[in-house]
Amino acid sequence: MKKSVKNRRLGAAIIDGMFIFFSIFIFSMFQIIMLPFFSIIEFFIITLLFIYYTIFPLFTNGSTLGKLILGIKITTIDYQKPRFYQFLLRNILFFEAILVFLLPTIFGIIFFILSFFINIIIFFMVMLGKEERGIHDYIANTLVVDRSFDITLVNQVDTLEQKQMTWAIFNDTKNDLTNQVSDDEIEILKKKD
């Protein structure tokens, strides 16, 4: 069964937010000291959000720094490793930053306020929803699970369950049940014919 990760997901979002904030702060200090006449902060923020939430998870099996620290990862809804476009689609902060910075000032401000409410909705969807998925997860067909979660373990049937599933054939050499048919079962099968 898939364990709930909503609290760790919230913690990961806080860690990721702190990392992004401090990265932007350090870059801003560098820009003030070194480049006072040329502003590239918007480009830096958009690039940082793209790399951090889209590229970085490709190489860490679906985790940002916060998710790595708290032991969670992003998977597809069928528990496979997401593709590049799925990480991009769920990178809502990247798209919000593009719209805020590239739209004319008044529209940028309006969209900034709108994006605040979008993020609040995502927060409540993750924290209160049964599936613990936000809008961005539904768009990208992803979900967040424990890093140790393995779908093959969930789908494995133990020996006791195999014995009860007489209608199924298992190809496991350790639990070869096809040769363990009792004489009573053979008699019952013969009577049916």
Side-chain angles (χ1 to χ4, degrees):
M1 193 70 176
K2 183 175 110 38
K3 291 189 283 185
S4 174
V5 295
K6 62 184 164 190
N7 293 331
R8 287 189 285 166
R9 194 169 176 179
L10 177 61
I14 291 169
I15 292 169
D16 292 337
M18 289 178 6
F19 176 79
I20 295 294
F21 174 78
F22 285 118
S23 298
I24 293 169
F25 178 76
I26 290 168
F27 182 81
S28 298
M29 292 298 105
F30 173 76
Q31 181 180 342
I32 290 169
I33 295 167
M34 303 301 285
L35 305 165
F37 301 108
F38 184 64
S39 176
I40 56 171
I41 189 72
E42 293 90 357
F43 177 75
F44 174 77
I45 292 171
I46 290 170
T47 304
L48 176 66
L49 291 173
F50 175 74
I51 291 170
Y52 189 74
Y53 289 106
T54 303
I55 303 299
F56 188 71
L58 278 173
F59 298 103
T60 58
N61 197 25
S63 293
T64 59
L65 183 62
K67 286 180 176 62
L68 274 174
I69 291 169
L70 294 177
I72 55 179
K73 67 180 178 180
I74 303 162
T75 68
T76 63
I77 55 172
D78 57 350
Y79 305 104
Q80 304 299 314
K81 182 178 179 180
R83 297 174 186 244
F84 169 79
Y85 77 89
Q86 289 174 299
F87 287 121
L88 181 62
L89 283 175
R90 75 184 311 280
N91 189 349
I92 196 160
L93 294 175
F94 170 69
F95 292 110
E96 289 173 348
I98 287 176
L99 290 173
V100 166
F101 293 136
L102 297 182
L103 288 175
T105 305
I106 187 67
F107 295 114
I109 292 169
I110 291 169
F111 189 76
F112 179 77
I113 294 167
L114 180 63
S115 68
F116 173 77
F117 288 109
I118 290 170
N119 288 309
I120 295 294
I121 291 168
I122 290 172
F123 170 78
F124 282 111
M125 287 178 75
V126 170
M127 296 309 284
L128 301 176
K130 184 178 178 183
E131 293 184 354
E132 300 178 8
R133 295 172 70 199
I135 296 167
H136 59 310
D137 289 312
Y138 285 102
I139 292 170
N141 286 324
T142 59
L143 56 104
V144 178
V145 297
D146 190 273
R147 281 190 73 77
S148 65
F149 181 81
D150 185 2
I151 191 65
T152 56
L153 297 176
V154 172
N155 291 331
Q156 283 182 347
V157 180
D158 67 11
T159 307
L160 228 93
E161 290 173 319
Q162 286 180 5
K163 286 182 180 179
Q164 294 173 353
M165 298 170 69
T166 56
W167 49 268
I169 298 173
F170 297 96
N171 294 328
D172 188 4
T173 56
K174 292 184 284 186
N175 299 322
D176 188 9
L177 300 177
T178 56
N179 296 328
Q180 296 178 0
V181 177
S182 70
D183 290 336
D184 293 337
E185 289 175 316
I186 292 172
E187 288 299 318
I188 291 172
L189 292 173
K190 285 181 183 176
K191 289 180 183 177
K192 286 183 180 179
D193 293 336

